[in-house]
Amino acid sequence: MTASLQVTEQPTAQRYFTPEEYLALEETAESKSEYCDGVIIPITGASTNHNHISLNMSIALRLALKGLDYNIFMGDLRLWMPKKRFYTYPDVMVILGKPEYYNNRKDTVINPQVIIEVLSKSTKSYDRSDKFQFYQTLPTFQEYILIDQSRIYVEQYCKLANKRWSYSQYDEEDTALVFDFFKVEVPLADMYEKVDFEAENEPEDSAEE
């Protein structure tokens, strides 16, 4: 009788990184990653719908706030939340006045007032829950906008007194999102310009190779 060797897989130990190690890796990485209290989390590539919405919002805000003391940043600027030891790259950030840089790094800020995230199927629960809680640890943070890329649906959270937040939702193309922090209106038709919902909702196995 031939003996069989039974191998039991051992769980791989989680590798933890210091913030400094993460930042060093990001400088040479081919794609961006988040950092959460020692754990590095790869960020998946964005779809064309995601890019259209982020660009549409950035352009709309830049035009509406032209001449005022606001800075609009899209995608590549990193945000640090020291209370949660969390680094991430919001889709769009708006900062009143000058950006405050973490440790004088011109690629990392700590003082956004408005954050916009474009939701995907894989990230929408995370963006609505844990990430929102992380953002709330920033003293400057006042308004959170979540934009669904697979349908016309926008959620808005505005900071009130005593750590409370108001909630609004928009789901009709002929309406406009009204920002609370700087009283700017963005029509949902402009927000979703060039967005292809059919392509976004197409089953993955039906796409041509």
Side-chain angles (χ1 to χ4, degrees):
M1 182 182 293
T2 304
S4 62
L5 180 63
Q6 189 173 21
V7 179
T8 302
E9 290 189 7
Q10 297 296 322
T12 303
Q14 175 70 60
R15 167 74 193 279
Y16 290 93
F17 298 83
T18 65
E20 293 74 23
E21 289 174 327
Y22 160 77
L23 292 171
L25 290 170
E26 281 292 273
E27 291 179 358
T28 59
E30 295 182 359
S31 59
K32 299 192 296 291
S33 296
E34 290 184 338
Y35 174 89
C36 186
D37 197 18
V39 178
I40 293 177
I41 308 162
I43 298 174
T44 57
S47 67
T48 53
N49 279 355
H50 188 288
N51 276 276
H52 282 315
I53 294 170
S54 296
L55 183 59
N56 290 343
M57 291 302 297
S58 297
I59 292 173
L61 290 174
R62 186 166 294 279
L63 291 174
L65 298 172
K66 185 177 180 179
L68 302 178
D69 194 17
Y70 290 95
N71 288 282
I72 298 101
F73 301 101
M74 192 181 88
D76 290 330
L77 188 66
R78 190 165 45 237
L79 176 63
W80 169 239
M81 284 142 278
K83 290 184 179 180
K84 293 294 184 179
R85 288 168 50 86
F86 182 63
Y87 282 108
T88 191
Y89 296 86
D91 292 323
V92 181
M93 287 189 289
V94 183
I95 294 177
L96 173 62
K98 294 182 179 180
E100 294 180 15
Y101 298 107
Y102 179 66
N103 281 350
N104 294 318
R105 295 186 61 103
K106 296 301 188 286
D107 58 0
T108 306
V109 296
I110 58 173
N111 66 320
Q113 280 73 38
V114 178
I115 295 175
I116 301 171
E117 293 285 10
V118 181
L119 303 179
S120 68
K121 293 177 183 177
S122 61
T123 66
K124 59 185 179 182
S125 295
Y126 171 54
D127 288 336
R128 288 185 175 115
S129 56
D130 290 349
K131 186 177 276 190
F132 185 26
Q133 292 180 19
F134 295 160
Y135 287 156
Q136 290 178 55
T137 65
L138 295 169
T140 59
F141 182 48
Q142 299 293 319
E143 190 163 2
Y144 192 38
I145 307 297
L146 299 168
I147 306 174
D148 198 315
Q149 63 177 302
S150 62
R151 57 176 176 148
I152 295 177
Y153 190 73
V154 180
E155 297 170 274
Q156 176 185 37
Y157 294 87
C158 303
K159 189 174 184 179
L160 305 173
N162 300 320
K163 297 183 179 181
R164 294 182 296 112
W165 293 77
S166 67
Y167 174 78
S168 303
Q169 61 184 36
Y170 306 76
D171 58 6
E172 298 178 2
E173 189 175 13
D174 59 353
T175 60
L177 167 66
V178 182
F179 283 86
D180 181 73
F181 187 70
F182 33 58
K183 308 306 178 186
V184 166
E185 292 190 11
V186 178
L188 267 64
D190 294 349
M191 184 186 305
Y192 282 101
E193 184 180 2
K194 294 188 179 296
V195 171
D196 184 352
F197 295 124
E198 291 185 4
E200 181 67 27
N201 293 309
E202 185 178 73
E204 294 182 2
D205 57 4
S206 67
E208 294 183 4
E209 294 185 359

